[in-house]
Amino acid sequence: MIYNMRNIILSLPALILFQFSNAQSINKQNATQVSFQQVNKDIFESSYYSYGSLFLEKQLQKHQNDTSKNLRNFLNTLKDKGVAFGVAESLEGYYNFMGGRRIGSAAASTFDANITVDMDQLLHITGGKFYADLEAHSFQNPTNLLVGDLQVFDKNTANPFLQMFELWYQQKFFHNTLRLKIGKVDANAEFSVIDNGLDFMTSSAHVTPTLFVFPTFPDPMPSVNFFFTPGKLFYTSIAVYDANQNDHFLDFSGKPGSVQSSLTGTLWISETGLTWSHLSGSEDDGNLRLGIWKHTGQFNRTDDNSLIHGADGLYIVINQTLWKPISDKNTNRGLRMFLEFAHSNKGVAPIYQHFGGGLVWKGITAKRPNDEIGLCTQYGRISPRSGLLWNHEQAVESFYKIYLTSWLNLQPDAQYIVHPGGKYPNALIGTLQLNLMF
């Protein structure tokens, strides 16, 4: 009996191992079957969702293409009726390598969205034009932060703002002989236009620094402008601008008007000029602009801070094409120059006398017809003031503008500024500007 029990006990482990092995085999078969079924299910669902996702993706792409096409058609329809939209973004990075107020970097951004309406095409009002321009400027003011120069080394220098930059209506009369422009206007679009200086960054290549009350960037002002152009050779113009710190017309945020030097008063400005092409048998074109201005506000003198009533000045601008390649007479390629001289009230204008000039070569090679390289210098005499170490400031600028596409360009720029603000060490500042236009 004991022997039988011992045999049964000894045989139990073998029995248990056998049953366990058998169970494992069955489980493996079931697991294999379940796994096979799961794989089939996963493949089916994966295929279903893949095909579904692909179908949805194609539908979404088709919808996006249709939307883009409809938008293009809509914009083209508006354009055919005289309504055109524009969007632009300018991104700038600065680094001051030496001198100035401090060594370091800064950045700025200017966003612009505008609409132009040809009233003749839209409403059959011959000679009519409407324009509105919304602009937002962000980030830092590199002149105040890095350099401290009085000529303002970058035309886009300003503290942050959001405003309706321009809002005006223009009407031409008598076969375009007389033109009236009324509204919030950038004065530099009509007066002291230095055609061959527009791609330089320094403000002095756009408008003389002696015209320190000029309502241009960062804050155009409400105005009434008259222009008389009896022929292709001669023109004359006159305008009045509400150019003072108290005017905040269509300024939504920031204080762009704070750049004005007077709390009250208006700016009266007049310009007369000659424009020529094929002069004396030459195929080179150019123009001469003579301008005078007067502001009726009160100003603080730079030397003793006493009040003085009114400020005035004059300017002269010459633009001239020097050379164009014989093989590309019908393009914009060529070497051009500009010269400028201006004078204002000593002791009132921060810079009371100014000389400037520059050269621009557009389309250095036929393969790069839009690229530009430029060199200019700007010299200004500084009004007496407290803490002044030097009575003049001079800037030398060089740039190369690279057109990557019709809507994208890149412009590296370098400026060496002697005696910034008349009191800071000589500065060397580099700028990289990226412009997008649609």
Side-chain angles (χ1 to χ4, degrees), residues 52-223:
S53 176
L54 183 61
F55 175 77
L56 291 175
E57 185 178 344
K58 287 184 177 179
Q59 289 295 103
L60 180 61
Q61 184 66 41
K62 183 177 181 300
H63 177 72
Q64 291 175 344
N65 292 338
D66 290 344
T67 302
S68 299
K69 184 178 179 180
N70 291 337
L71 179 61
R72 286 195 300 270
N73 291 338
F74 175 70
L75 293 176
N76 288 333
T77 301
L78 287 178
K79 189 174 182 179
D80 292 338
K81 293 183 179 180
V83 181
F85 296 91
V87 177
E89 172 68 35
S90 179
L91 300 172
E92 294 178 289
Y94 313 91
Y95 193 86
N96 186 28
F97 295 92
M98 59 178 282
R101 301 189 71 171
R102 73 175 184 88
I103 295 173
S105 61
S109 166
T110 306
F111 173 78
D112 184 283
N114 59 73
I115 178 173
T116 304
V117 181
D118 187 323
M119 304 301 287
D120 188 8
Q121 288 182 262
L122 185 65
L123 300 174
H124 306 292
I125 302 176
T126 304
K129 184 179 180 180
F130 171 80
Y131 181 77
D133 182 2
L134 179 70
E135 191 162 283
H137 186 76
S138 308
F139 304 125
Q140 298 156 308
N141 184 326
T143 292
N144 293 344
L145 184 66
L146 302 176
V147 182
D149 62 317
L150 293 174
Q151 295 191 74
V152 186
F153 78 91
D154 182 8
K155 61 184 179 292
N156 288 335
T157 288
N159 293 322
F161 65 76
L162 173 65
Q163 64 172 312
M164 188 63 72
F165 191 74
E166 289 193 272
L167 181 71
W168 49 259
Y169 179 79
Q170 175 180 280
Q171 183 64 53
K172 295 180 179 180
F173 305 93
F174 309 117
H175 304 287
N176 300 334
T177 300
L178 183 64
R179 179 165 61 98
L180 169 66
K181 191 175 185 179
I182 184 170
K184 189 175 184 180
V185 176
D186 180 356
N188 201 202
E190 300 291 355
F191 295 90
S192 184
V193 180
I194 307 171
D195 301 280
N196 297 331
L198 297 180
D199 284 318
F200 288 93
M201 290 189 179
T202 176
S203 294
S204 294
H206 294 250
V207 61
T208 171
T210 64
L211 218 174
F212 64 106
V213 291
F214 203 47
T216 184
F217 186 93
D219 195 29
M221 296 286 183
S223 64

Side-chain angles (χ1 to χ4, degrees), residues 246-259:
N246 286 326
D247 192 295
H248 308 292
F249 183 58
L250 297 178
D251 294 344
F252 304 130
S253 68
K255 296 180 179 180
S258 63
V259 297

